Amino acid sequence: MSDRFLFSGPVDAAVTILLAHGAGGAMDSPGMERFSEALAAAGVRVARFEFGYMAERRRSGRRAPPPKAEMLIPDYLAAVRALVASGPLVIGGKSMGGRIASMVADDLYRTGDIAGLLCLGYPFHPIGKPELLRTAHLETLRAPTLICQGTRDPFGSREDVIGYELSDQIEIFWLEDGDHDLRPRKGVSGFSMGDHLAAMASRVAAWSSALCRL
């Protein structure tokens, strides 16, 4: 733990991934811990940070809702500037954190500050409101992007997403029967959460290694 970041994984990893949390869970929430430790076990360096509103929750004890997505962009850009990565940097996050990263990815990719974008459970639309898409900027995205998504994610299932117009720079890695946290129902799918975390981490490690060779 530094003053600003929570690190996992080998210091000499080829790639560092900057991960932001989702709307309701802090950077050290159980879900963020699981994702980070799985990636670390696959040889990836992970740096987690918190948006200002979440840090304020810690200080005040009051559970204020997150601000609108656009208001969190400065926090994300400040984290990118503050992080010292020895090699290529990938930005991303869980749910809302990945959405904010996707909103700044192209500008950072264009200037050579990042190598790609990773989204863990992208919130393509609010739950129960599939008509309110958050995909307009994803249609023209130029940064290499990997989205790891559960097939039954209520924020964007495989049946939903298959009909979207998305940039050809976006790869979606589907995890069978996974929900928004990629958690499957073992009795339905035969997969455990551990299986899906390992599969996600293996795919991210291979994908990020390929970015280093571009």
Side-chain angles (χ1 to χ4, degrees):
M1 181 81 173
S2 72
D3 290 338
R4 187 163 196 163
F5 300 102
L6 185 59
F7 292 98
S8 305
V11 176
D12 59 350
V15 175
T16 297
I17 299 179
L18 178 63
L19 285 184
H21 56 80
M27 67 178 177
D28 58 353
S29 66
M32 289 294 287
E33 289 282 350
R34 284 192 294 269
F35 285 126
S36 299
E37 292 308 312
L39 290 167
V44 177
R45 179 74 162 165
V46 178
R48 288 173 268 169
F49 78 98
E50 283 184 347
F51 293 111
Y53 80 90
M54 186 61 71
E56 178 58 29
R57 282 187 186 180
R58 288 185 188 273
R59 288 191 292 268
S60 68
R62 291 184 289 105
R63 193 175 175 82
K68 290 184 177 180
E70 293 77 10
M71 301 296 292
L72 296 174
I73 288 176
D75 283 3
Y76 208 111
L77 293 175
V80 172
R81 290 192 296 269
L83 180 63
V84 178
S86 59
L89 176 64
V90 170
I91 62 169
K94 173 72 180 78
S95 191
M96 183 199 71
R99 181 186 176 200
I100 306 305
S102 74
M103 296 166 72
V104 301
D106 266 4
D107 285 343
L108 294 172
Y109 182 67
R110 207 162 20 242
T111 57
D113 292 300
I114 67 167
L117 167 69
L118 171 67
C119 299
L120 303 173
Y122 187 84
F124 287 96
H125 57 72
I127 292 179
K129 298 180 179 180
E131 71 281 3
L132 299 181
L133 291 179
R134 299 159 172 162
T135 59
H137 66 295
L138 301 183
E139 296 177 12
T140 57
L141 198 67
R142 301 318 305 159
T145 300
L146 177 64
I147 299 176
C148 297
Q149 194 85 356
T151 61
R152 62 183 179 95
D153 190 329
F155 290 88
S157 67
R158 180 157 53 190
E159 289 72 19
D160 292 333
V161 177
I162 197 170
Y164 298 160
E165 292 185 14
L166 301 175
S167 165
D168 59 9
Q169 294 299 306
I170 296 175
E171 174 190 342
I172 301 181
F173 180 62
W174 290 106
L175 291 142
E176 190 61 37
D177 196 57
D179 62 10
H180 194 51
D181 293 322
L182 311 184
R183 186 182 301 279
R185 299 164 295 183
K186 190 169 185 179
V188 174
S189 68
F191 295 106
S192 69
M193 185 61 177
D195 293 332
H196 275 7
L197 285 172
M200 175 277 295
S202 177
R203 183 69 200 100
V204 171
W207 170 79
S208 57
S209 293
L211 291 181
C212 296
R213 298 193 292 269
L214 293 179

